[in-house]
Amino acid sequence: MSRIVVVSNRVMELRRATQAGGVAVAIADLLKAKPGLWFGWNGKVVEEDDAGLSDIKVRKAAGQSALATLPLTAEEHRDYYLGYSNSVLWPVFHNRLDLAHFDAGFYPRYMGVNKRFAAALASLIQPDDIVWVHDYHLIPLAVELRRLGIQNPIGFYLHIPVPPPQTFLAIPEYADLAQALAAYDLVGLQTEADVSNLIQVFKDSGQGRILQDGRVLAFDQRLSIHRFPVGIDARDFMGATPVRNLVQSPSDAQRLIGVDRLDYTKGLPQKLRAFGRFLEKYPEYLRKVVLTQIAPPTRESVEAYTDIRQQLEALSGKINGMFGELDWVPIHYIHRSAPRDRLRDIYRASRIGFFTPLRDGMNLVAKEYVAAQAPDDPGVPILSRFAGAAEQLVDAIIVNPYNVEEMADAIKQALEMDKAERIARYERLMSVIRTYDSAVWSASFLATLEASAEERSTARISASTPIHAALAKLAEAARRSSGLPANDADAKSAAELKAASRKRPGGRS
């Protein structure tokens, strides 16, 4: 059986990954079921001259899998992780050019970390391995592996959205990034809109066109680009026990739940304003509803994240001051993470799941909320049209997160929706969630990657045929002019072909 080599910016113990939620759960489940290796950063930051900087720590994990990790230096953490990854690529891919630090000089170290990771990983790759690279931190990894002679199937999955071409092309290094993506056999994306945007990026950069077989020819490389929406394992959330008697609200109050990392892409200020507007517009619901917003910290050393935290704390305080009473606080704002099993029970106790990102690759929390509901009395998800999940979860109440009035009215609609409609919506939503679960996501990606790699290998062989013919003609002409026997000319031709192949980067045509 082929080994799956998963590469991501951060690696964690499989047991911790299962509790962390999101995509980490799917990766952990995959590596428990199949022989594999999870490679990436171990979360540690060391000094430049640390003796352990280049040491790969390999240790056994669950089943037949292992973890292989490296640390980052303080400079790499600053420029590769906080810098280029999260202060250039993250805002641009979420359509926030105003927050991107293009001129900060982060790019060389971003490339340097990818080169260092590629060199370390190449020593661990076995001939039959299938390599699956995850997310924007590691876009150049495949091209660096190819330069080191790695010809294994290499796929890339982007968990965040692909921006419109005009936004992508604003990145000073856009051509390098596009060429790096072309080194993969398969690029997997969350939505059809993402697929369309990436294909258009290749076209608008002047280096791409669609082939008759549906693949893309870019920078003289053939690659496949497909949609693979990330799913969850619904069984992890079914059978939840509703949380009772949560403090600061009457026992019969209806709860809205939001769970989002503290990030400017999540539409958190818009959500709080919409809830405040709902209380103002429909005062009959005072003391009858409460919004619990869980917003765990993330990248707090980046200035934009400090700003969003201050904004949320001010908004929640203002709304609580305007509408709260001694025994009822309308907004419970919690700036820390909650255990996954605890979240499952809070989802079950919440009449509304409130998910309003301004831009999001998928938003798995919306799927988790639906899966946790009671089939005979389910709650209602309110979901931003700009979340990738909106392409699948069409039976949620879909809203524009920039429209506060629309979101306020959506809260009222969800609270007043009769049970029959809630059940009908829930059943259709669950059908989608069960059909496109985490196991289907990983299996379909890996199957497509193997097929795409085979097609790419065939294309390389086909592309070399004209070279064979041209060299044969040259050899024949040389033989006639020099009087060499045919077998000597053929030997010369073969030597020339081998030399030409060596000159191509990574031995690829």
Side-chain angles (χ1 to χ4, degrees):
M1 180 184 292
S2 297
R3 193 176 62 155
I4 309 299
V5 176
V6 175
V7 189
S8 63
N9 172 66
R10 185 69 188 274
V11 173
M12 61 181 70
E13 296 289 346
L14 298 188
R15 186 180 303 172
R16 284 186 56 213
T18 301
Q19 288 301 312
V23 176
V25 177
I27 291 175
D29 288 346
L30 173 66
L31 293 177
K32 288 176 184 176
K34 295 177 178 291
L37 176 73
W38 191 357
F39 176 92
W41 176 38
N42 59 12
K44 295 179 180 179
V45 178
V46 301
E47 295 301 321
E48 184 77 47
D49 57 356
D50 192 296
L53 179 61
S54 59
D55 291 341
I56 308 170
K57 298 287 192 274
V58 181
R59 60 190 184 281
K60 190 93 168 60
Q64 302 177 61
S65 293
L67 307 179
T69 59
L70 287 171
L72 295 177
T73 68
E75 292 78 10
E76 288 173 338
H77 183 259
R78 182 193 65 213
D79 291 353
Y80 151 78
Y81 179 70
L82 295 176
Y84 201 79
S85 295
N86 290 307
S87 297
V88 177
L89 296 181
W90 178 269
V92 169
F93 279 57
H94 287 87
N95 222 17
R96 290 298 305 268
L97 288 173
D98 58 310
L99 296 177
H101 295 195
F102 292 127
D103 57 354
F106 297 136
Y107 185 68
R109 197 159 267 123
Y110 174 76
M111 287 301 303
V113 170
N114 273 271
K115 287 180 180 179
R116 185 163 74 85
F117 276 27
L121 178 60
S123 67
L124 302 175
I125 291 177
Q126 300 170 6
D128 292 334
D129 284 348
I130 297 170
V131 183
W132 188 1
V133 181
H134 289 262
D135 233 358
Y136 58 103
H137 315 81
L138 300 169
I139 291 173
L141 193 71
V143 76
E144 297 301 331
L145 288 172
R146 300 299 190 199
R147 285 171 180 159
L148 294 171
I150 301 299
Q151 292 300 317
N152 300 59
I154 309 178
F156 178 77
Y157 192 86
L158 185 67
H159 294 271
I160 62 176
V162 178
Q166 300 92 327
T167 303
F168 188 97
L169 297 180
I171 303 173
E173 301 84 14
Y174 78 87
D176 293 342
L177 295 173
Q179 187 167 7
L181 285 170
Y184 289 95
D185 295 293
L186 171 66
V187 173
L189 305 169
Q190 299 273 24
T191 68
E192 292 293 353
D194 293 330
V195 171
S196 176
N197 281 346
L198 184 56
I199 291 173
Q200 196 61 46
V201 163
F202 282 123
K203 287 182 176 179
D204 288 0
S205 67
Q207 295 290 342
R209 62 185 176 88
I210 299 177
L211 303 173
Q212 288 184 342
D213 61 7
R215 287 180 295 160
V216 174
L217 179 65
F219 298 93
D220 296 324
Q221 306 290 347
R222 289 172 171 81
L223 72 151
S224 297
I225 303 174
H226 291 293
R227 164 184 174 260
F228 302 92
V230 174
I232 64 169
D233 186 343
R235 295 170 299 180
D236 288 346
F237 293 88
M238 297 168 68
T241 302
V243 174
R244 301 296 183 190
N245 300 321
L246 291 172
V247 298
Q248 293 184 297
S249 64
S251 59
D252 60 347
Q254 301 278 24
R255 186 172 302 278
L256 291 73
I257 182 67
V259 180
D260 310 86
R261 287 185 304 101
L262 187 64
D263 192 287
Y264 53 79
T265 67
K266 298 300 183 181
L268 294 171
Q270 290 81 355
K271 181 190 296 188
L272 266 57
R273 290 192 191 101
F275 185 67
R277 177 58 180 149
F278 166 78
L279 295 175
E280 179 184 30
K281 193 172 182 179
Y282 304 107
E284 64 270 25
Y285 281 99
L286 292 174
R287 296 182 56 81
K288 295 181 180 179
V289 294
V290 63
L291 169 62
T292 297
Q293 178 60 54
I294 300 173
T298 178
R299 307 176 195 132
E300 291 187 298
S301 57
V302 177
E303 183 179 353
Y305 294 88
T306 303
D307 293 344
I308 195 72
R309 178 179 179 179
Q310 293 173 348
Q311 191 177 2
L312 284 184
E313 290 172 349
L315 270 172
S316 59
K318 178 182 177 181
I319 293 168
N320 284 339
M322 288 177 62
F323 298 104
E325 299 177 15
L326 289 176
D327 60 347
W328 173 67
V329 178
I331 295 178
H332 302 165
Y333 170 61
I334 302 168
H335 182 55
R336 63 180 181 276
S337 59
R340 197 157 173 253
D341 53 356
R342 176 71 168 172
L343 283 177
R344 179 189 61 193
D345 296 340
I346 296 174
Y347 293 151
R348 183 68 165 260
S350 302
R351 175 47 59 91
I352 295 173
F354 205 10
F355 315 108
T356 59
L358 305 179
R359 196 78 177 89
D360 207 346
M362 178 52 63
N363 198 288
L364 290 176
V365 176
K367 295 184 177 184
E368 294 172 354
Y369 170 80
V370 173
Q373 296 307 296
D376 59 347
D377 189 18
V380 180
I382 297 174
L383 180 61
S384 164
R385 68 175 66 256
F386 303 119
E391 192 174 277
Q392 291 182 294
L393 304 184
V394 296
D395 284 288
I397 297 177
I398 306 297
V399 296
N400 176 1
Y402 294 97
N403 189 331
V404 168
E405 291 292 328
E406 182 182 315
M407 287 195 290
D409 292 341
I411 295 171
K412 184 172 187 290
Q413 178 189 350
L415 289 170
E416 297 179 356
M417 188 179 294
D418 65 61
K419 183 184 286 190
E421 182 178 352
R422 286 189 281 116
I423 291 174
R425 285 174 178 255
Y426 163 80
E427 289 175 348
R428 292 192 294 267
L429 289 167
M430 280 301 291
S431 176
V432 172
I433 291 169
R434 285 193 184 99
T435 301
Y436 299 97
D437 65 6
S438 57
V440 168
W441 169 68
S442 58
S444 59
F445 182 92
L446 291 170
T448 307
L449 172 56
E450 290 192 78
S452 299
E454 181 64 30
E455 290 172 350
R456 191 163 180 151
S457 176
T458 303
R460 281 200 297 269
I461 294 169
S462 299
S464 68
T465 302
I467 299 174
H468 278 286
L471 289 174
K473 288 182 179 179
L474 287 172
E476 178 60 21
R479 185 184 65 79
R480 287 197 189 111
S481 62
S482 63
L484 284 172
N487 57 344
D488 289 344
D490 291 342
K492 184 179 179 183
S493 173
E496 289 170 343
L497 178 60
K498 190 173 182 180
S501 177
R502 288 200 190 101
K503 290 178 182 177
R504 293 194 295 276
R508 309 172 85 221
S509 58

